Amino acid sequence: MSVWNYVVTAHKPTNVTHSCVGNFTGTQELNLIIAVLVSDTGTYLKVGFINSQNLEYEDTDDKYPNFGYRPMLDVPIYGRIATLELFRPHGEAQDFLFIATERYKFCVLQWDAENSEQAMGDVSDRIGRPTDNGQIGIIDPDCRLIGLHLYDGLFKVIPFDNKGQLKEAFNIRLEELQVLDIKFLYGCSKPTIVVLYQDNKDARHVKTYEVALKDKDFVEGPWTQNNLDNGADLLIPVPPPLCGVLIIGEETIVYCSASAFKAIPIRPSITKAYGRVDADGSRYLLGDHAGLLHLLVITHEKEKVTGLKIELLGETSIASTISYLDNAFVYIGSSYGDSQLIKIHLQPDVKGSYVEVLERYVNLGPIVDFCVVDLERQGQGQVVTCSGAYKDGSLRIVRNGIGINEQASVELQGIKGMWSLRSSTDDPHDTFLVVSFISETRILAMNLEDELEETEIEGFCSQVQTLFCHDAVYDQLVQVTSSSVRLVSSTSRELRNEWKAPSGFSVNVATANATQVLLATGGGHLVYLEIGDGTLTEVKHAQLEYDISCLDINPIGENPNYSQLAAVGMWTDISVRIFSLPELNLITKEHLGGEIIPRSVLLCSFEGIPYLLCALGDGHLLNFLLNMSTGELTDRKKVSLGTQPITLRTFSSKNTTHVFAASDRPTVIYSSNKKLLYSNVNLKEVSHMCPFNSAAFPDSLAIAKEGDLTIGTIDDIQKLHIRSIPLGEHPRRICHQEQSRTFAICSLKYNQSSTDESETHFIRLLDDQTFEFISTYPLDTFEYGCSILSCSFSDDSNVYYCVGTAYVLPEENEPTKGRILVFIVEDGKLQLIAEKETKGAVYSLNAFNGKLLAAINQKIQLYKWMLRDDGTRELQSESGHHGHILALYVQTRGDFIVVGDLMKSISLLIYKHEEGAIEERARDYNANWMSAVEILDDDIYLGAENYFNLFTVRKNSEGATDEERGRLEVVGEYHLGEFVNRFRHGSLVMRLPDSDVGQIPTVIFGTVNGVIGVIASLPHDQYVFLEKLQANLRKIIKGVGGLSHEQWRSFNNEKKTVDAKNFLDGDLIETFLDLNRTRMDDISKAMGVSVEELCKRVEELTRLH
């Protein structure tokens, strides 16, 4: 049964809705704070740090280049953010952050190194009609009060006392019911608001009010302004010395104050966002619905405003928020396209634009539709989304894991080890690739044609297996074999020195860096050598009680060529030990437990934090924090990466060091926000890997796998890899056809000419490898593509694309006409085979037992595919079912049909073969406005609705009475906080049959805010265990600003609020892995399960996405 579900985010929301700039984390530090609307835990607040000293942008390959924005903090907020404002109370040195959520909670956050908050509260009222134009939250510039407009006709005030603490809130009646915007004015002796409103004749006016805090009422303000531009919907208060307010309309911009009135006409546009450039408010950036960025200048002589000027700067993504950072750098946050960091230049470029885009921050939102396909045919699903809107529309190919892009490959069997070497110490590139086999060593190098060919290093011994190789100081190379250590000149390639193993002993394991060699012979002997100019000196020898299984002396301290510590893995007592160099004194001994020996140890540093990684022979990896001065190991964590022994190697990509774990499930270990993350590599088994940064293949890796040696570059290091295909138009529906290897999309292009804004709709065919348009079928004027499907029919071997359309006429409320078009792909072209006119919009199409099932306005219609006498084919209506408001979403399984209705929740229909009729079997009698449905199994159906909730219903076939059988019973409820547009069965990860999670069925969803999420149906015992874990985590992890996780997750619509049931919050559960050890222990005690076991079970879950 799919009753017990686990909801987790695979791709966090990326739709930026709010941003602000200020000194939040310190008096001297400038921060950019971004609110990303989000699904699984409400919203993520990202706090970034801007270094204004070096806003000189240099083009480096770094992910956050040194123009100075770096992310510092990423916290979940249990709510959807409605207001995000920075303010600074009197006497404070840095800014506070005010947040209000859509569920009428608010908090004030203050930064300290421990991230604490200051105040919180609930501002909901028992009665009141929520505002149509969204919540407004504003802060008086002199920090006397916070104002909120949450319900029509009410203005809520939260006053500050003289210490800057918040006092009891109260409401003031507001006569204006249709409020478009409210702001506080600057430079008023009493707090004064300015209100932009619409009267009942649709005229728009501005009024000012003073807030009398003592009387808890409004007093008429200093001025009013009537009959503005009918499109006026944004107020910008101007700071002193000018004061007053700008009123932004669709065709005019007005500056208004008690003493002045100035207006200028503008090109018709809808301003979506503004950002203030100067502290005195004389210049503003305005972003409109077409993505055009304008600069508005208030011209003034001293404090007297003389006029307004507006100038077009260029094009950006369609902005939902604009923050001017410093030195002409601007952050553009977008809900319809990628967010951007831009620089505004003083001189235009050749195209006349003053805007240069420096960085793009990927945004998948809004995901209107998507499909799950396996394009590489490796058994791994990829999600192809219809993302963005208007001109920023695109397709995005999202896949899990890190890809290796193969550059060259050669067949070589039986590789036992690989190392890359340089021809001189200061050469930036690698020249040689040393490949070791069981009884020989071969050396490959790049020739002039950029091909790998075999070469010789005369000083190396090539008739034996090499145990280790490394570049050494003074243009030398070092090779360790079972009998000796050889020091070779990298320029003349001749032997300079050799250390031989004592007779009767052979070297088993060895490691080296540029100045040191550490090796172990049988019988537990540990030998430490130092490398000089042509010299190899044995400095120290130690006898250990057991044999040594692995070694590492990778330098992660101050000196890049010399390590003060050595890590040693032991047989027999199964421990890892830290020795000091050069003395070889034992500092730390850590028993690993269990029976499996350590096969590979590595000292490494991520984001400046030193770690010891230790890989075992059964695919487990332990990581410890390493104290460089004491050698102490703390914070032990264990993860399972595969089932075979792992070898660890460091490599660098984009100037950052990462670790590659080669095994049957190769993994890259990297760090983000000081947390270790593991991302699978899209390769089958890998036995060895080494970095090979040659001139021809910069930043490449050499990878040994089943009989092959491959050289390739690696994708960006992140868990999900996203490729963007910008279309310049808005894709609305997508479908993949395996047989023709194509995608078909329904899309629309906005033609923005100066006279009239029209749109054209198309069906386009794309190649599924190159994503290029290969064929286009234009739709009629006013005709929209509503649904698309690839299917075949009974008695016909062809595969067709079926498209459902609607004629959306300006004078009609509901479409009364549509078409079903049937296409076949021939020679890469769309050929129209048949069309059928319908009496409404074709909202959904499904293949149904060799026929076509369509949802047309309020009815469900079944068509069969008929052969005419002349050999052509047509769709013929067979049967139908009425009784819906609008049947928007349909899924089928066998003879069952599940319908998601505009208002009437989910109903279940059945097709009767004997009568050839469709009947209703059961329905959910709750009023839910549906946004997507999916069938989880024969009896459980999943729905999403427009108050951002998920729910499941169960078919009650065992019911005693017809009434019971006719009711779909609600079994699960959950508040996702995201608007879901589509569910699809499928998985983003390789389904490995040997793992526990390989058997768990999953559904993927895509949302307006760019979230890709996974819903996994768990076995009951696993669900019960995780539910207990979630309850314990709730006690320990507190939401920012005191917002409650339990309340946030409760199913909530305008009728009711009930606790979540039969759904678990995977994002919360997976935060268990990021807790510190003491908190893990607390939870382990409460659960009665060991920390290792908890980590293992939660790790498994992270493999679902």
Side-chain angles (χ1 to χ4, degrees), residues 95-153:
D95 297 337
F96 290 18
L97 183 65
F98 172 74
I99 294 173
T101 76
E102 288 187 8
R103 285 214 203 165
Y104 308 118
K105 300 273 189 283
F106 76 89
C107 59
V108 173
L109 303 182
Q110 176 185 6
W111 175 277
D112 64 26
E114 306 293 305
N115 322 335
S116 78
E117 61 264 354
Q118 197 196 8
M120 49 178 275
D122 186 322
V123 284
S124 60
D125 291 324
R126 298 270 298 276
I127 49 171
R129 179 172 175 275
T131 57
D132 286 342
N133 293 313
Q135 299 180 27
I136 298 173
I138 49 176
I139 300 175
D140 170 46
D142 295 326
C143 287
R144 293 167 287 197
L145 62 122
I146 294 173
L148 296 160
H149 181 53
L150 309 171
Y151 302 99
D152 287 345

Side-chain angles (χ1 to χ4, degrees), residues 596-611:
I596 314 291
I597 60 153
R599 283 295 188 92
S600 180
V601 284
L602 182 64
L603 299 161
C604 57
S605 155
F606 292 108
E607 296 189 281
I609 300 170
Y611 291 88

Side-chain angles (χ1 to χ4, degrees), residues 146-162:
I146 294 173
L148 296 160
H149 181 53
L150 309 171
Y151 302 99
D152 287 345
L154 291 177
F155 184 74
K156 183 173 290 271
V157 172
I158 312 173
F160 287 98
D161 64 15
N162 48 13

Side-chain angles (χ1 to χ4, degrees), residues 182-416:
I182 303 184
K183 291 288 197 303
F184 276 109
L185 285 176
Y186 285 89
C188 299
S189 54
K190 295 205 176 75
T192 305
I193 61 168
V194 51
V195 183
L196 171 66
Y197 66 97
Q198 183 167 318
D199 64 19
N200 48 16
K201 298 192 181 67
D202 287 354
R204 298 190 178 187
H205 319 287
V206 162
K207 228 172 165 174
T208 56
Y209 288 111
E210 285 182 0
V211 181
L213 289 171
K214 281 207 175 64
D215 308 336
K216 303 194 172 179
D217 205 354
F218 284 140
V219 180
E220 286 284 318
W223 53 269
T224 56
Q225 184 65 46
N226 289 341
N227 297 325
L228 296 156
D229 176 347
N230 277 343
D233 64 350
L234 177 65
L235 296 174
I236 304 179
V238 181
L242 302 174
C243 301
V245 67
L246 288 164
I247 306 158
I248 312 289
E250 288 180 13
E251 295 177 353
T252 52
I253 293 180
V254 171
Y255 169 83
C256 201
S257 70
S259 57
F261 179 88
K262 295 276 181 269
I264 52 161
I266 55 169
R267 245 193 78 221
S269 71
I270 301 162
T271 301
K272 292 278 197 191
Y274 75 91
R276 186 169 84 202
V277 178
D278 306 298
D280 70 356
S282 55
R283 293 184 299 172
Y284 288 88
L285 293 169
L286 303 178
D288 74 7
H289 65 297
L292 297 177
L293 188 68
H294 287 85
L295 181 69
L296 174 67
V297 182
I298 305 177
T299 53
H300 57 101
E301 288 163 9
K302 296 218 172 70
E303 288 162 33
K304 183 167 173 286
V305 173
T306 55
L308 300 172
K309 287 204 307 230
I310 190 158
E311 178 160 5
L312 175 64
L313 297 178
E315 190 184 323
T316 65
S317 292
I318 300 169
S320 55
T321 169
I322 298 176
S323 289
Y324 182 83
L325 305 180
D326 205 347
N327 299 9
F329 287 87
V330 181
Y331 175 78
I332 306 277
S334 177
S335 300
Y336 295 132
D338 290 346
S339 295
Q340 295 169 323
L341 177 85
I342 63 169
K343 178 156 186 161
I344 297 171
H345 292 287
L346 295 170
Q347 300 303 322
D349 61 15
V350 286
K351 294 187 182 135
S353 167
Y354 294 85
V355 172
E356 180 192 0
V357 177
L358 303 178
E359 279 278 326
R360 300 186 85 91
Y361 305 99
V362 169
N363 169 25
L364 296 187
I367 299 173
V368 191
D369 193 10
F370 70 92
C371 56
V372 187
V373 289
D374 176 12
L375 296 177
E376 254 103 64
R377 294 183 161 62
Q378 290 183 341
Q380 171 166 12
Q382 302 182 15
V383 166
V384 181
T385 67
C386 291
S387 288
Y390 310 106
K391 73 171 184 70
D392 291 339
S394 63
L395 297 182
R396 306 284 170 125
I397 301 108
V398 182
R399 61 176 162 77
N400 182 303
I402 296 174
I404 302 281
N405 311 308
E406 201 171 292
Q407 311 271 15
S409 176
V410 52
E411 269 191 45
L412 282 175
Q413 297 285 344
I415 295 177
K416 293 287 175 215

Side-chain angles (χ1 to χ4, degrees), residues 74 175 218 243 286 419 493 677 694 907 986 1025 1035 1102:
D74 190 348
E175 286 169 25
F218 284 140
C243 301
L286 303 178
W419 300 270
R493 304 191 189 184
L677 300 173
S694 64
S907 47
F1025 174 82
K1035 292 179 199 150
T1102 59

